[in-house]
Amino acid sequence: MDLATLRQLRLRVQGVREPVAASAPEVVERFVAVQSQEFVPAQWGLAARVRSEHRPDAASVAASIDRGEILRTHVLRPTWHFVSPSDARWLLELSAERVHRLNATYYRRVGLEGEAAARGLDVVARALEGGHRTRAQLTAALDEAGSPMAGLAFGYLLMLAELERVAISGANVGRQRTYAAFDERVPASAPKPRDEALAELAERFIGSRGPANERDFAAWSGFTLGDARQAFADAADRSDGRITTVEVDGETHWLDASAVPDAAAAASATESDTDRVDLLQAYDEYIMGYAAPRAYLQSPERPAPVGAEFPLHALMIGGVMCGRWAPVVNAKRAVVRIVPWRTFSPAEERSLAASVAELERFLGLPVTVERSS
């Protein structure tokens, strides 16, 4: 399999092409965890993977988050992810210890250890017994309890509360995000043995992002390469033959045969897909679901490995990165700033206009395009 076919398979498995999901919560459930540092752009990434007849706007996705159908927390790695309520508990039980180890230096640096950490967690837990609380309200509760925390220490206390299953995302209050008691938003469930949890995580990763290899899974999940190899083997064993392997440029990749079209169909789709423009957020799973250097993204116009350029996002043509874009949104209108890496063909310009129109429908605001060189 060559890189062009790999791109087409990944675009379709991920739902960037021919989406099958009927809602944003369904997208999150299928992906297990969706990276979501940038709150609104991450929601756009969910909506774009919903079938056009059901595609939600920003208000609808936000309502799903407010209702707790989609939760946002720090899991797998020390970064934000969207997760489903049914997956939040076992994912945190599986990954919290490893994230704690990664955070250990910062815990020590801000004095968030031992009794100080326990006091902070207790204050947060008691505050959340009374309902969803904003960061300002939790800061006030800590002050009143004689355990003031601010800045980096406060941020790491909240992450600690998430990892310890004390707190998780709550309903927004206007533009302010809140925290809720973990057990209020996440249903009780029996613990999963570590090997079973890793195998399930790997199986669902392959099913939503394959073809992928063990390095991709390790980079995405935060687990070791040894864990990834064992998890892939276990996932294949429990898949009844669905999970198989394919060679891409001499390297073994794993895919779920039930989730992908055959290679011939993907190869034929490549020819009709070369002009398709996608406005992906910088941390989209089509980018961050795989290990660097991500050769499948590389454009001849920019041979250097693709990296994050916050606040710019990824402008894709035919699954290859051909520029950057950034939305600037206010209450009445939005501006999409395009930074192309080359001149676009007429067909690409039409596809770009269609993608901007989809973004406009999502935002529910008129969108103006500004182009930079």
Side-chain angles (χ1 to χ4, degrees):
M1 182 182 295
D2 60 15
L3 285 180
T5 304
L6 176 72
R7 277 194 292 270
Q8 293 307 315
L9 287 174
R10 286 178 171 174
L11 286 167
R12 280 160 175 77
V13 168
Q14 286 223 6
V16 180
R17 298 286 182 275
E18 303 169 9
V20 298
S23 68
E26 187 178 320
V27 174
V28 174
E29 184 174 11
R30 181 169 182 271
F31 275 78
V32 194
V34 177
Q35 201 161 327
S36 61
Q37 286 97 316
E38 301 304 307
F39 191 52
V40 174
Q43 293 173 60
W44 159 244
L46 300 181
R49 287 172 165 84
V50 176
R51 292 199 306 268
S52 58
E53 66 268 27
H54 298 294
R55 189 160 295 155
D57 60 12
S60 297
V61 180
S64 293
I65 295 170
D66 285 347
R67 290 192 297 266
E69 297 164 355
I70 298 170
L71 299 172
R72 186 171 183 249
T73 193
H74 288 85
V75 69
L76 298 179
R77 290 173 285 115
T79 193
W80 289 105
H81 283 84
F82 288 138
V83 297
S84 293
S86 59
D87 291 320
R89 190 177 299 272
W90 72 266
L91 283 173
L92 281 159
E93 289 171 349
L94 173 65
S95 61
E97 180 182 354
R98 184 162 182 81
V99 180
H100 281 321
R101 288 202 297 271
L102 294 171
N103 284 347
T105 298
Y106 294 97
Y107 291 157
R108 288 193 296 271
R109 184 176 299 172
V110 301
L112 196 60
E113 295 181 296
E115 187 177 337
R119 280 199 311 269
L121 289 176
D122 183 62
V123 172
V124 171
R126 283 188 281 110
L128 296 179
E129 289 174 358
H132 300 191
R133 297 288 182 260
T134 65
R135 292 171 66 97
Q137 289 170 326
L138 291 174
T139 298
L142 288 161
D143 290 343
E144 292 171 9
S147 300
M149 289 192 192
L152 199 60
F154 179 65
Y156 273 98
L157 172 64
L158 294 181
M159 193 188 306
L160 181 67
E162 293 173 302
L163 296 168
E164 289 300 304
R165 281 80 81 196
V166 170
I168 201 161
S169 60
N172 282 2
V173 175
R175 293 183 175 273
Q176 295 186 72
R177 293 188 276 282
T178 71
Y179 287 82
F182 186 86
D183 289 338
E184 175 202 330
R185 305 279 265 185
V186 180
S189 60
K192 294 178 187 285
R194 186 177 188 274
D195 58 342
E196 291 182 15
L198 269 172
E200 178 175 343
L201 187 63
E203 184 176 2
R204 291 170 67 183
F205 173 83
I206 293 167
S208 57
R209 296 169 179 82
N213 60 33
E214 293 98 330
R215 289 190 305 105
D216 295 326
F217 179 74
W220 172 81
S221 69
F223 289 100
T224 67
L225 191 54
D227 283 335
R229 290 179 179 131
Q230 185 62 56
F232 270 38
D234 291 343
D237 287 344
R238 59 187 258 165
S239 74
D240 295 324
R242 286 183 297 102
I243 292 178
T244 184
T245 60
V246 64
E247 295 297 310
V248 181
D249 285 351
E251 188 171 8
T252 299
H253 286 60
W254 301 66
L255 73 163
D256 185 331
S258 69
V260 301
D262 61 60
S268 65
T270 303
E271 297 181 6
S272 62
D273 194 51
T274 53
D275 299 328
R276 169 73 177 268
V277 175
D278 296 290
L279 300 176
L280 301 185
Q281 62 126 341
Y283 300 104
D284 191 272
E285 291 297 320
Y286 179 68
I287 300 168
M288 300 306 295
Y290 309 99
R294 307 185 182 98
Y296 65 99
L297 294 177
Q298 297 306 130
S299 165
E301 289 78 23
R302 287 289 181 99
V306 172
E309 293 180 20
F310 179 80
L312 297 177
H313 302 297
L315 189 154
M316 316 296 295
I317 301 181
V320 174
M321 194 164 173
C322 294
R324 291 285 188 175
W325 70 285
V328 181
V329 181
N330 61 35
K332 294 184 178 180
R333 62 189 292 268
V335 175
V336 170
R337 293 175 178 163
I338 303 293
V339 184
W341 291 348
R342 62 168 173 78
T343 301
F344 295 169
S345 71
E348 291 166 351
E349 291 287 358
R350 289 192 294 272
S351 183
L352 172 61
S355 293
V356 171
E358 282 292 331
L359 180 64
E360 188 173 58
R361 281 191 286 274
F362 172 75
L363 294 173
L365 296 169
V367 172
T368 301
V369 176
E370 294 180 355
R371 195 177 300 240
S372 303
S373 58

